[in-house]
Amino acid sequence: AITALSAFDRAGRKVQFLSVRCPAELVETADLYGEISTVLQKNPTIDPQRLCLEFPASLMDQQTQKARTAILDMKLLKLRTALVGCGAEEFPIAKLLTVSPDIVFLDPSATAFAGSRNKPQLLSALVSLVMSMHIDAIAEGTKAQRDAMRGTDCIGFLHTDGKCLSLDEALAWEGDA
């Protein structure tokens, strides 16, 4: 992530933050605070607020206290934190009452309610609830759902039907995020 942010900076590309997944095993077994602290010390020109660690929903099952500690530790280091899979059956919104990340990635099953005929306001209500807890929301879904998401207050949209770009492809890309 630090290499990518440095490359974007050198290329003159504005990147608010870059998010990377943090495997549950790393949270469960390693000194995450120590490892991230060391990385930040070795890269003093990178603003920690431009880095976001994504924690998987699986951490919330039996490891709520470890997830809470990891998120609080990252906040001490000034990193952004995110929980992935919010709104899925295995990760209900109520879990956000015990763990407070900066961002949640809404599960595609929750995003599927965008534009629904049966429950047209459900997704907007979900995003509003999340934001009332001072947590930003990023929706995950298909390109077809993106237009239906425009009426919500999500700060971003992650396509689940696209491919990941390499760093070189991302630097060369000029499309709409």
Side-chain angles (χ1 to χ4, degrees), residues 13-172:
R13 301 290 299 266
K14 300 279 186 200
V15 176
Q16 185 178 8
F17 68 91
L18 190 65
S19 185
V20 294
R21 302 255 169 156
C22 181
E25 301 82 38
L26 188 59
V27 175
E28 295 168 1
T29 61
D31 175 18
L32 186 60
Y33 180 90
E35 288 187 32
I36 299 296
S37 181
T38 300
V39 168
L40 292 173
Q41 288 171 4
K42 290 180 181 178
N43 297 280
T45 60
I46 297 293
D47 176 6
Q49 277 288 297
R50 295 181 66 205
L51 298 170
C52 178
L53 279 186
E54 299 175 18
F55 297 95
S58 61
L59 265 181
M60 299 305 295
D61 294 335
Q62 300 298 322
Q63 303 291 335
T64 302
Q65 187 55 42
K66 284 188 178 185
R68 186 174 192 276
T69 300
I71 287 172
L72 291 173
D73 283 350
M74 294 306 100
K75 287 184 177 210
L76 287 173
L77 293 173
K78 308 272 190 269
L79 266 71
R80 293 176 194 235
T81 57
L83 287 173
V84 178
C86 186
E89 188 174 317
E90 63 275 3
F91 182 14
I93 297 298
K95 298 260 186 182
L96 295 176
L97 297 172
T98 59
V99 177
S100 184
D102 299 297
I103 301 167
V104 294
F105 284 84
L106 298 176
D107 189 78
S109 64
T111 305
F113 286 108
S116 167
R117 291 182 192 178
N118 297 332
K119 300 177 182 177
Q121 299 302 316
L122 184 63
L123 189 61
S124 291
L126 175 64
V127 172
S128 293
L129 176 63
V130 168
M131 291 185 66
S132 74
M133 293 184 255
H134 305 287
I135 302 170
D136 289 325
I138 295 175
E140 291 187 66
T142 63
K143 288 181 182 180
Q145 294 168 324
R146 184 175 182 173
D147 286 339
M149 292 295 303
R150 293 200 191 272
T152 69
D153 290 323
C154 286
I155 66 166
F157 188 85
L158 180 64
H159 297 289
T160 56
D161 55 355
K163 70 174 188 86
C164 292
L165 300 177
S166 70
L167 179 56
D168 290 337
E169 290 170 325
L171 286 168

